[in-house]
Amino acid sequence: MRTNFPHIRLRWHRVGSATAVTAALVLAGFGTAVHADATTSSKVTWAATPCATPKKTGELACNSLRVTGGTTAFQKARGITPKAADAATPSGYGPSDLQSAYGLTSASASNGSGETIAIVDAYNDPNAEADLAKYRSYYGLPACTSASGCFKKVSQTGSTTSLPSSDAGWSEEISLDLDMVSAIAPNAKILLVEAKSATMANLGKAVNEAVTLGAKFVSNSYGGSESSSDTSYDSSYFNHPGVAITVSAGDEGYGAEYPAASKYVTSVGGTALSTSSNSRGWTETVWKTSSTEGTGSGCSSYDAKPTWQTDTGCTKRMIADVSAVADPATGVSVYDSYGVTAGWYTFGGTSVSSPIIAAVYALAGTPGSSDYPAQYPYKHTSSLNDVTSGNNGSCSTSYFCTATSGYDGPTGWGTPKGVSAFTG
């Protein structure tokens, strides 16, 4: 069993000056990050969701952060004045924004029928289906219910009745994941597989169950420190040819995490996404709040380099492969009601980017039965938005932590520009 508390480091969730009281709260784990986004006039504040702090030794952390105040990029672009912490109205990007940013408007409307996207998380969200319905109804997406066969929630053993204990923190993560899949691939079916705890063993069994139940796309928005056990986890839980498995790269800035380091998965980094006057209408940079908060990246200490990865500075597996929005200041809207005031919240973290990429794979179609779909973007690099600015920390090999033209650690080959980069 791995001992792993990746988010309990005494990290400073702030940028710029703060009072001694705020500093004390940060050290206690209750502080908020402050980010002055280029598109906003009011600083955005956020805090890690409760599941970002593992409750027990050996548990992994979710990679999500929830906005607590300020004016987000979405609000600024539209002249919306309510504070982002007001749960009554959305304050983050919705489906049309994300589809526009990633060239998916047509594919999202037409593709994905018959595909099943699985979300793997820990513990139970008793309100998952009801909250999903609120999100989809608000944004005019087709209903996705258990009665229709579109939505299904099971335990790691496949049971629909014997579910794990409920957890408010992981419920926030589940709502985020379900909503991002809905935003990108509203015609696809959704399978939620809930592990009985956040250990790698239980989450890994949930991945296997998702594949057993027919999902060809599986999103994992959790991770932790690497260990010498990772190669055995690879073979036990992630070696599923013909299945696109996505994993968030982490939220602690430069440094490799597992299972993002698995050679069998698509490792997904994070960006800051803002509207722009350029031809695309959007611009992205590496997501970084501070030296201890931002998208993960790095050279694995244990996992072998997959044959399709060709960067020369890292002899083992390099993180990441591709990326999508993750900065909370340019975050996404989510509807959640379990353990919080029922309503709209804005989230960031690489927990956003992983389900987005899983859904893009679903829009692109079923992978080849013997393929490892992580290699697909490497074959179609011109079909990605190359992110060339920003960094997520300091490193001795520049591209491990700094965006550059072509491949780099924090953003991989870039972000979706349609679906072409996600098919064989």
Side-chain angles (χ1 to χ4, degrees):
M1 180 178 291
R2 68 204 295 136
T3 301
N4 184 19
F5 291 88
H7 287 72
I8 296 183
R9 300 173 194 168
L10 297 183
R11 58 180 180 154
W12 298 91
H13 290 257
R14 60 188 174 94
V15 174
S17 62
T19 65
V21 172
T22 300
L25 285 170
V26 170
L27 286 171
F30 298 104
T32 57
V34 181
H35 183 91
D37 182 70
T39 63
T40 64
S41 59
S42 170
K43 288 182 177 179
V44 182
T45 60
W46 61 83
T49 54
C51 56
T53 301
K55 294 186 290 187
K56 301 175 183 176
T57 300
E59 290 200 343
L60 305 188
C62 66
N63 287 310
S64 56
L65 306 110
R66 194 180 79 189
V67 169
T68 56
T71 304
T72 65
F74 168 84
Q75 292 175 298
K76 180 66 175 177
R78 288 160 179 75
I80 300 172
T81 56
K83 293 181 179 179
D86 178 8
T89 55
S91 57
Y93 293 135
S96 62
D97 303 298
L98 297 172
Q99 293 170 19
S100 168
Y102 296 126
L104 300 169
T105 303
S106 177
S108 293
S110 304
N111 300 0
S113 297
E115 306 290 6
T116 297
I117 306 170
I119 296 297
V120 171
D121 280 313
Y123 300 103
N124 178 43
D125 177 3
N127 297 357
E129 184 173 355
D131 288 350
L132 176 64
K134 291 280 190 180
Y135 180 89
R136 295 176 73 106
S137 174
Y138 180 89
Y139 286 112
L141 305 177
C144 186
T145 66
S146 55
S148 69
C150 175
F151 176 76
K152 187 175 184 179
K153 180 172 74 170
V154 300
S155 72
Q156 69 188 53
T157 64
S159 174
T160 58
T161 55
S162 181
L163 298 170
S165 60
S166 298
D167 182 270
W170 279 95
S171 290
E172 293 184 29
E173 175 66 45
I174 288 169
S175 291
L176 165 60
D177 294 341
L178 296 177
D179 290 356
M180 289 308 96
V181 165
S182 298
I184 300 300
N187 297 319
K189 296 180 179 180
I190 302 176
L191 171 66
L192 171 60
V193 187
E194 299 178 331
K196 67 179 180 180
S197 75
T199 64
M200 187 67 262
N202 286 324
L203 288 162
K205 290 174 183 175
V207 172
N208 288 344
E209 185 62 26
V211 176
T212 296
L213 292 175
K216 298 298 183 183
F217 315 92
V218 185
S219 176
N220 305 267
S221 294
Y222 55 83
S225 303
E226 293 189 291
S227 82
S228 58
S229 300
D230 291 347
T231 54
S232 66
Y233 296 147
D234 280 351
S235 57
S236 296
Y237 307 127
F238 297 105
N239 186 5
H240 294 288
V243 180
I245 302 175
T246 63
V247 180
S248 55
D251 294 351
E252 293 197 317
Y254 174 65
E257 282 197 4
Y258 190 85
S262 172
K263 63 182 180 180
Y264 297 122
V265 310
T266 300
S267 175
V268 187
T271 67
L273 172 70
S274 302
T275 54
S276 172
S277 59
N278 62 19
S279 58
R280 177 187 171 194
W282 300 85
T283 186
E284 289 175 277
T285 61
V286 175
W287 167 45
K288 177 188 176 183
T289 306
S290 68
S291 61
T292 55
E293 187 173 271
T295 184
S297 72
C299 182
S300 173
S301 297
Y302 302 99
D303 251 78
K305 198 172 196 70
T307 57
W308 37 261
Q309 196 170 56
T310 58
D311 64 293
T312 58
C314 171
T315 59
K316 293 190 180 297
R317 168 65 154 123
M318 186 70 192
I319 300 169
D321 299 313
V322 292
S323 50
V325 61
D327 188 342
T330 68
V332 298
S333 279
V334 172
Y335 190 91
D336 185 54
S337 68
Y338 184 67
V340 294
T341 300
W344 295 97
Y345 295 91
T346 296
F347 280 86
T350 52
S351 281
V352 177
S353 54
S354 177
I356 285 176
I357 296 300
V360 177
Y361 272 112
L363 295 180
T366 307
S369 61
S370 61
D371 291 355
Y372 291 99
Q375 67 186 294
Y376 291 170
Y378 289 76
K379 298 178 179 180
H380 308 285
T381 58
S382 63
S383 296
L384 294 160
N385 299 301
D386 192 8
V387 182
T388 59
S389 62
N391 68 80
N392 64 346
S394 301
C395 57
S396 57
T397 304
S398 179
Y399 79 90
F400 284 15
C401 66
T402 303
T404 187
S405 179
Y407 180 84
D408 57 73
T411 65
W413 283 105
T415 64
K417 185 165 62 176
V419 301
S420 297
F422 298 87
T423 180

